[in-house]
Amino acid sequence: MARPAEKASLDQWYVIDAEADIPAEPRPNRLLGRDLIVARDADGTVIVREKRDDGALGEPLPTIVRWGYIWTTLGKPERGLFELPEADEPDRRHVVCGAVAVNASGLRIIENFLDMAHFPFVHTDILGAEPNTEVHHYTTEIRRDVDEVWATNCEFFQPQAALSAEGGIMTQYMYRVMAPFQTLLYKTCPAAANRWDVICLFVQPLDHDRCRAHPVMFIIDDESTLTSMVHFQQLIFLQDRIILENQRPRLLPLEPRAEIPTRADISSVAYRRWLKEKGVTFGTAERAA
Ligand SMILES: [Fe+2]
């Protein structure tokens, strides 16, 4: 039997579906190795319950509806959802990109999201291209006041940084990990010089080595159609999925010597240290609980 989820992972909020995708009739879902049933009550309010091993349904779990998604928890989170003020700016497009199933640890997906070194090789001629393969020096910190991992002063040369970009540009990035399975990035907005586009990746861990990723963008782009923006993001993410599903070991090692980091990986080193401090073991190669 698989290791059950530990307290550090249970006491978090997770996206389980886009609100618009939840039908009237009850539907199975899954989170952290446990089965859920998601339904709507007579008013249309979404109700999430755990389906126990004997088939009985538990009491409704706490839920939050935000940014187009249903969030729930199997534990007792110490706080609500993280701050995302850009999401409320009225001139941004809110682009829910659709869930993608990935046969990999959800933590691997977060780590891949933080990694710039793969751009020229995995997203060739879009987010990177040879010979511009070097990851320039950037800064990483664990911000104790908000308990988040940040990487700042990141930059990379990108042939097609966004659908709205015309030609290659040096793109600036900032990365943020708000919770063990939740991350986002701020990147140069080709359509507005003094603002950042925001791309979030909300990961729903189904099992240790299987998850669903829910990408959503809050971007400034008056030109592109919604469909074309969704397709652009899906293309990028499907390129990542091929890499993610072939990574070994499948679960994320937290021991520093298990995989040898380079200077470009300092954000991943900080992320793993932060996970270890928190006692997160779901999706990791850790033996001890
Ligand atoms: Fe990628």
mmCIF file of all heavy atoms in Angstrom, residues 93-126:
data_model
loop_
_atom_site.group_PDB
_atom_site.id
_atom_site.type_symbol
_atom_site.label_atom_id
_atom_site.label_comp_id
_atom_site.label_asym_id
_atom_site.label_seq_id
_atom_site.Cartn_x
_atom_site.Cartn_y
_atom_site.Cartn_z
ATOM 1 N N ARG A 93 -6.417 39.676 -19.044
ATOM 2 C CA ARG A 93 -7.173 38.520 -19.513
ATOM 3 C C ARG A 93 -6.946 37.392 -18.508
ATOM 4 O O ARG A 93 -5.814 37.147 -18.091
ATOM 5 C CB ARG A 93 -6.680 38.083 -20.905
ATOM 6 C CG ARG A 93 -6.625 39.216 -21.931
ATOM 7 C CD ARG A 93 -7.954 39.471 -22.586
ATOM 8 N NE ARG A 93 -8.421 38.365 -23.406
ATOM 9 C CZ ARG A 93 -8.041 38.157 -24.670
ATOM 10 N NH1 ARG A 93 -7.155 38.953 -25.253
ATOM 11 N NH2 ARG A 93 -8.535 37.144 -25.364
ATOM 12 N N HIS A 94 -8.012 36.725 -18.156
ATOM 13 C CA HIS A 94 -7.945 35.602 -17.211
ATOM 14 C C HIS A 94 -8.099 34.336 -18.057
ATOM 15 O O HIS A 94 -9.178 34.054 -18.550
ATOM 16 C CB HIS A 94 -9.086 35.780 -16.204
ATOM 17 C CG HIS A 94 -9.221 34.679 -15.210
ATOM 18 N ND1 HIS A 94 -10.239 34.628 -14.294
ATOM 19 C CD2 HIS A 94 -8.475 33.586 -14.976
ATOM 20 C CE1 HIS A 94 -10.101 33.552 -13.540
ATOM 21 N NE2 HIS A 94 -9.054 32.901 -13.943
ATOM 22 N N VAL A 95 -7.022 33.606 -18.240
ATOM 23 C CA VAL A 95 -7.015 32.496 -19.184
ATOM 24 C C VAL A 95 -6.834 31.172 -18.443
ATOM 25 O O VAL A 95 -5.727 30.819 -18.030
ATOM 26 C CB VAL A 95 -5.892 32.672 -20.241
ATOM 27 C CG1 VAL A 95 -5.984 31.593 -21.302
ATOM 28 C CG2 VAL A 95 -5.944 34.060 -20.863
ATOM 29 N N VAL A 96 -7.937 30.464 -18.253
ATOM 30 C CA VAL A 96 -7.897 29.136 -17.624
ATOM 31 C C VAL A 96 -7.536 28.148 -18.736
ATOM 32 O O VAL A 96 -8.242 28.050 -19.733
ATOM 33 C CB VAL A 96 -9.267 28.794 -17.000
ATOM 34 C CG1 VAL A 96 -9.283 27.363 -16.479
ATOM 35 C CG2 VAL A 96 -9.586 29.768 -15.864
ATOM 36 N N CYS A 97 -6.402 27.468 -18.580
ATOM 37 C CA CYS A 97 -5.847 26.729 -19.718
ATOM 38 C C CYS A 97 -6.247 25.258 -19.788
ATOM 39 O O CYS A 97 -5.840 24.553 -20.701
ATOM 40 C CB CYS A 97 -4.325 26.826 -19.714
ATOM 41 S SG CYS A 97 -3.757 28.521 -19.927
ATOM 42 N N GLY A 98 -7.020 24.755 -18.843
ATOM 43 C CA GLY A 98 -7.427 23.346 -18.900
ATOM 44 C C GLY A 98 -6.458 22.456 -18.156
ATOM 45 O O GLY A 98 -5.254 22.708 -18.140
ATOM 46 N N ALA A 99 -6.988 21.404 -17.526
ATOM 47 C CA ALA A 99 -6.146 20.513 -16.717
ATOM 48 C C ALA A 99 -5.357 19.567 -17.612
ATOM 49 O O ALA A 99 -5.843 19.122 -18.646
ATOM 50 C CB ALA A 99 -7.026 19.708 -15.765
ATOM 51 N N VAL A 100 -4.128 19.292 -17.201
ATOM 52 C CA VAL A 100 -3.287 18.341 -17.921
ATOM 53 C C VAL A 100 -2.870 17.243 -16.946
ATOM 54 O O VAL A 100 -2.310 17.542 -15.887
ATOM 55 C CB VAL A 100 -2.016 19.019 -18.478
ATOM 56 C CG1 VAL A 100 -1.223 18.043 -19.339
ATOM 57 C CG2 VAL A 100 -2.356 20.269 -19.268
ATOM 58 N N ALA A 101 -3.157 15.979 -17.288
ATOM 59 C CA ALA A 101 -2.742 14.862 -16.444
ATOM 60 C C ALA A 101 -1.280 14.544 -16.726
ATOM 61 O O ALA A 101 -0.861 14.504 -17.888
ATOM 62 C CB ALA A 101 -3.612 13.650 -16.738
ATOM 63 N N VAL A 102 -0.509 14.361 -15.673
ATOM 64 C CA VAL A 102 0.917 14.085 -15.830
ATOM 65 C C VAL A 102 1.300 12.916 -14.919
ATOM 66 O O VAL A 102 0.996 12.938 -13.726
ATOM 67 C CB VAL A 102 1.789 15.311 -15.458
ATOM 68 C CG1 VAL A 102 3.245 15.037 -15.782
ATOM 69 C CG2 VAL A 102 1.313 16.566 -16.166
ATOM 70 N N ASN A 103 1.964 11.926 -15.493
ATOM 71 C CA ASN A 103 2.453 10.800 -14.699
ATOM 72 C C ASN A 103 3.815 11.140 -14.118
ATOM 73 O O ASN A 103 4.854 10.682 -14.589
ATOM 74 C CB ASN A 103 2.534 9.528 -15.554
ATOM 75 C CG ASN A 103 1.158 8.969 -15.843
ATOM 76 O OD1 ASN A 103 0.295 8.918 -14.956
ATOM 77 N ND2 ASN A 103 0.924 8.604 -17.085
ATOM 78 N N ALA A 104 3.790 12.002 -13.115
ATOM 79 C CA ALA A 104 5.020 12.424 -12.439
ATOM 80 C C ALA A 104 4.615 12.958 -11.077
ATOM 81 O O ALA A 104 3.450 13.291 -10.854
ATOM 82 C CB ALA A 104 5.729 13.515 -13.238
ATOM 83 N N SER A 105 5.587 13.042 -10.180
ATOM 84 C CA SER A 105 5.336 13.680 -8.883
ATOM 85 C C SER A 105 4.987 15.146 -9.107
ATOM 86 O O SER A 105 5.644 15.838 -9.893
ATOM 87 C CB SER A 105 6.594 13.569 -8.020
ATOM 88 O OG SER A 105 6.542 14.535 -6.978
ATOM 89 N N GLY A 106 4.002 15.649 -8.388
ATOM 90 C CA GLY A 106 3.633 17.055 -8.506
ATOM 91 C C GLY A 106 4.782 17.991 -8.145
ATOM 92 O O GLY A 106 4.880 19.096 -8.674
ATOM 93 N N LEU A 107 5.661 17.527 -7.258
ATOM 94 C CA LEU A 107 6.802 18.364 -6.866
ATOM 95 C C LEU A 107 7.790 18.507 -8.015
ATOM 96 O O LEU A 107 8.440 19.536 -8.173
ATOM 97 C CB LEU A 107 7.491 17.755 -5.637
ATOM 98 C CG LEU A 107 6.580 17.528 -4.421
ATOM 99 C CD1 LEU A 107 7.316 16.740 -3.344
ATOM 100 C CD2 LEU A 107 6.078 18.851 -3.857
ATOM 101 N N ARG A 108 7.901 17.471 -8.831
ATOM 102 C CA ARG A 108 8.754 17.543 -10.023
ATOM 103 C C ARG A 108 8.226 18.605 -10.994
ATOM 104 O O ARG A 108 8.989 19.277 -11.676
ATOM 105 C CB ARG A 108 8.775 16.193 -10.743
ATOM 106 C CG ARG A 108 9.617 15.131 -10.048
ATOM 107 C CD ARG A 108 10.956 15.025 -10.738
ATOM 108 N NE ARG A 108 11.740 13.907 -10.321
ATOM 109 C CZ ARG A 108 13.066 13.996 -10.140
ATOM 110 N NH1 ARG A 108 13.713 15.130 -10.325
ATOM 111 N NH2 ARG A 108 13.749 12.939 -9.775
ATOM 112 N N ILE A 109 6.915 18.727 -11.062
ATOM 113 C CA ILE A 109 6.315 19.714 -11.969
ATOM 114 C C ILE A 109 6.651 21.126 -11.510
ATOM 115 O O ILE A 109 7.001 21.992 -12.311
ATOM 116 C CB ILE A 109 4.795 19.499 -12.044
ATOM 117 C CG1 ILE A 109 4.540 18.129 -12.652
ATOM 118 C CG2 ILE A 109 4.119 20.611 -12.818
ATOM 119 C CD1 ILE A 109 3.129 17.841 -12.941
ATOM 120 N N ILE A 110 6.559 21.348 -10.196
ATOM 121 C CA ILE A 110 6.924 22.668 -9.659
ATOM 122 C C ILE A 110 8.395 22.943 -9.961
ATOM 123 O O ILE A 110 8.754 24.032 -10.419
ATOM 124 C CB ILE A 110 6.689 22.725 -8.130
ATOM 125 C CG1 ILE A 110 5.225 22.417 -7.782
ATOM 126 C CG2 ILE A 110 7.148 24.085 -7.580
ATOM 127 C CD1 ILE A 110 4.220 23.440 -8.175
ATOM 128 N N GLU A 111 9.233 21.957 -9.723
ATOM 129 C CA GLU A 111 10.660 22.168 -9.925
ATOM 130 C C GLU A 111 10.984 22.457 -11.392
ATOM 131 O O GLU A 111 11.793 23.333 -11.705
ATOM 132 C CB GLU A 111 11.435 20.941 -9.432
ATOM 133 C CG GLU A 111 12.865 21.265 -9.183
ATOM 134 C CD GLU A 111 13.599 20.127 -8.524
ATOM 135 O OE1 GLU A 111 13.868 19.126 -9.201
ATOM 136 O OE2 GLU A 111 13.877 20.232 -7.332
ATOM 137 N N ASN A 112 10.318 21.757 -12.289
ATOM 138 C CA ASN A 112 10.511 22.012 -13.723
ATOM 139 C C ASN A 112 10.074 23.431 -14.090
ATOM 140 O O ASN A 112 10.696 24.103 -14.917
ATOM 141 C CB ASN A 112 9.723 20.975 -14.528
ATOM 142 C CG ASN A 112 9.716 21.289 -16.013
ATOM 143 O OD1 ASN A 112 8.781 21.887 -16.542
ATOM 144 N ND2 ASN A 112 10.773 20.923 -16.706
ATOM 145 N N PHE A 113 9.004 23.894 -13.460
ATOM 146 C CA PHE A 113 8.478 25.236 -13.729
ATOM 147 C C PHE A 113 9.500 26.309 -13.343
ATOM 148 O O PHE A 113 9.573 27.362 -13.960
ATOM 149 C CB PHE A 113 7.185 25.412 -12.928
ATOM 150 C CG PHE A 113 6.370 26.640 -13.245
ATOM 151 C CD1 PHE A 113 5.509 26.657 -14.330
ATOM 152 C CD2 PHE A 113 6.430 27.774 -12.433
ATOM 153 C CE1 PHE A 113 4.730 27.778 -14.606
ATOM 154 C CE2 PHE A 113 5.657 28.895 -12.707
ATOM 155 C CZ PHE A 113 4.809 28.894 -13.801
ATOM 156 N N LEU A 114 10.307 26.023 -12.301
ATOM 157 C CA LEU A 114 11.297 26.982 -11.811
ATOM 158 C C LEU A 114 12.568 26.994 -12.653
ATOM 159 O O LEU A 114 13.426 27.856 -12.474
ATOM 160 C CB LEU A 114 11.699 26.628 -10.366
ATOM 161 C CG LEU A 114 10.598 26.615 -9.312
ATOM 162 C CD1 LEU A 114 11.159 26.148 -7.973
ATOM 163 C CD2 LEU A 114 9.991 28.006 -9.171
ATOM 164 N N ASP A 115 12.708 26.027 -13.523
ATOM 165 C CA ASP A 115 13.971 25.788 -14.216
ATOM 166 C C ASP A 115 14.023 26.529 -15.554
ATOM 167 O O ASP A 115 13.177 26.291 -16.414
ATOM 168 C CB ASP A 115 14.121 24.269 -14.434
ATOM 169 C CG ASP A 115 15.294 23.941 -15.320
ATOM 170 O OD1 ASP A 115 16.402 24.434 -15.033
ATOM 171 O OD2 ASP A 115 15.101 23.224 -16.322
ATOM 172 N N MET A 116 15.009 27.395 -15.721
ATOM 173 C CA MET A 116 15.173 28.092 -17.004
ATOM 174 C C MET A 116 16.095 27.346 -17.967
ATOM 175 O O MET A 116 16.026 27.553 -19.178
ATOM 176 C CB MET A 116 15.741 29.495 -16.772
ATOM 177 C CG MET A 116 14.731 30.470 -16.205
ATOM 178 S SD MET A 116 15.487 32.099 -15.894
ATOM 179 C CE MET A 116 16.404 31.750 -14.401
ATOM 180 N N ALA A 117 16.951 26.486 -17.425
ATOM 181 C CA ALA A 117 17.980 25.854 -18.257
ATOM 182 C C ALA A 117 17.387 24.999 -19.379
ATOM 183 O O ALA A 117 18.035 24.788 -20.403
ATOM 184 C CB ALA A 117 18.899 25.011 -17.375
ATOM 185 N N HIS A 118 16.152 24.527 -19.199
ATOM 186 C CA HIS A 118 15.589 23.632 -20.217
ATOM 187 C C HIS A 118 14.940 24.379 -21.388
ATOM 188 O O HIS A 118 14.583 23.763 -22.389
ATOM 189 C CB HIS A 118 14.579 22.657 -19.580
ATOM 190 C CG HIS A 118 13.236 23.258 -19.262
ATOM 191 N ND1 HIS A 118 12.992 24.049 -18.166
ATOM 192 C CD2 HIS A 118 12.048 23.185 -19.916
ATOM 193 C CE1 HIS A 118 11.720 24.423 -18.151
ATOM 194 N NE2 HIS A 118 11.118 23.921 -19.202
ATOM 195 N N PHE A 119 14.783 25.698 -21.281
ATOM 196 C CA PHE A 119 14.046 26.437 -22.320
ATOM 197 C C PHE A 119 14.540 26.159 -23.747
ATOM 198 O O PHE A 119 13.732 25.811 -24.615
ATOM 199 C CB PHE A 119 14.113 27.952 -22.049
ATOM 200 C CG PHE A 119 13.268 28.442 -20.898
ATOM 201 C CD1 PHE A 119 13.489 29.712 -20.371
ATOM 202 C CD2 PHE A 119 12.256 27.675 -20.340
ATOM 203 C CE1 PHE A 119 12.714 30.207 -19.326
ATOM 204 C CE2 PHE A 119 11.468 28.155 -19.287
ATOM 205 C CZ PHE A 119 11.715 29.427 -18.784
ATOM 206 N N PRO A 120 15.847 26.298 -24.025
ATOM 207 C CA PRO A 120 16.279 26.138 -25.425
ATOM 208 C C PRO A 120 16.137 24.707 -25.945
ATOM 209 O O PRO A 120 16.048 24.496 -27.152
ATOM 210 C CB PRO A 120 17.748 26.546 -25.413
ATOM 211 C CG PRO A 120 18.043 27.050 -24.056
ATOM 212 C CD PRO A 120 16.953 26.639 -23.135
ATOM 213 N N PHE A 121 16.132 23.732 -25.030
ATOM 214 C CA PHE A 121 16.160 22.329 -25.445
ATOM 215 C C PHE A 121 14.766 21.712 -25.487
ATOM 216 O O PHE A 121 14.501 20.815 -26.296
ATOM 217 C CB PHE A 121 17.075 21.538 -24.492
ATOM 218 C CG PHE A 121 18.410 22.195 -24.330
ATOM 219 C CD1 PHE A 121 18.751 22.857 -23.165
ATOM 220 C CD2 PHE A 121 19.320 22.211 -25.384
ATOM 221 C CE1 PHE A 121 19.971 23.509 -23.024
ATOM 222 C CE2 PHE A 121 20.546 22.857 -25.268
ATOM 223 C CZ PHE A 121 20.873 23.510 -24.087
ATOM 224 N N VAL A 122 13.864 22.190 -24.630
ATOM 225 C CA VAL A 122 12.516 21.615 -24.560
ATOM 226 C C VAL A 122 11.505 22.506 -25.297
ATOM 227 O O VAL A 122 10.594 22.002 -25.953
ATOM 228 C CB VAL A 122 12.102 21.407 -23.081
ATOM 229 C CG1 VAL A 122 10.673 20.879 -22.988
ATOM 230 C CG2 VAL A 122 13.071 20.454 -22.385
ATOM 231 N N HIS A 123 11.703 23.809 -25.208
ATOM 232 C CA HIS A 123 10.786 24.757 -25.868
ATOM 233 C C HIS A 123 11.541 25.497 -26.966
ATOM 234 O O HIS A 123 11.533 26.723 -27.050
ATOM 235 C CB HIS A 123 10.216 25.735 -24.847
ATOM 236 C CG HIS A 123 9.647 25.081 -23.626
ATOM 237 N ND1 HIS A 123 8.565 24.233 -23.677
ATOM 238 C CD2 HIS A 123 10.028 25.121 -22.320
ATOM 239 C CE1 HIS A 123 8.294 23.796 -22.445
ATOM 240 N NE2 HIS A 123 9.167 24.311 -21.615
ATOM 241 N N THR A 124 12.187 24.703 -27.814
ATOM 242 C CA THR A 124 13.089 25.242 -28.829
ATOM 243 C C THR A 124 12.376 26.219 -29.753
ATOM 244 O O THR A 124 11.293 25.933 -30.252
ATOM 245 C CB THR A 124 13.659 24.065 -29.657
ATOM 246 O OG1 THR A 124 14.164 23.094 -28.747
ATOM 247 C CG2 THR A 124 14.773 24.522 -30.586
ATOM 248 N N ASP A 125 13.011 27.383 -29.934
ATOM 249 C CA ASP A 125 12.530 28.466 -30.810
ATOM 250 C C ASP A 125 11.282 29.160 -30.265
ATOM 251 O O ASP A 125 10.679 29.981 -30.961
ATOM 252 C CB ASP A 125 12.278 27.976 -32.242
ATOM 253 C CG ASP A 125 13.566 27.478 -32.887
ATOM 254 O OD1 ASP A 125 14.650 27.950 -32.480
ATOM 255 O OD2 ASP A 125 13.495 26.611 -33.776
ATOM 256 N N ILE A 126 10.875 28.838 -29.044
ATOM 257 C CA ILE A 126 9.758 29.552 -28.413
ATOM 258 C C ILE A 126 10.303 30.269 -27.177
ATOM 259 O O ILE A 126 10.451 31.484 -27.173
ATOM 260 C CB ILE A 126 8.602 28.599 -28.031
ATOM 261 C CG1 ILE A 126 8.158 27.769 -29.254
ATOM 262 C CG2 ILE A 126 7.430 29.389 -27.476
ATOM 263 C CD1 ILE A 126 7.153 26.686 -28.930
#
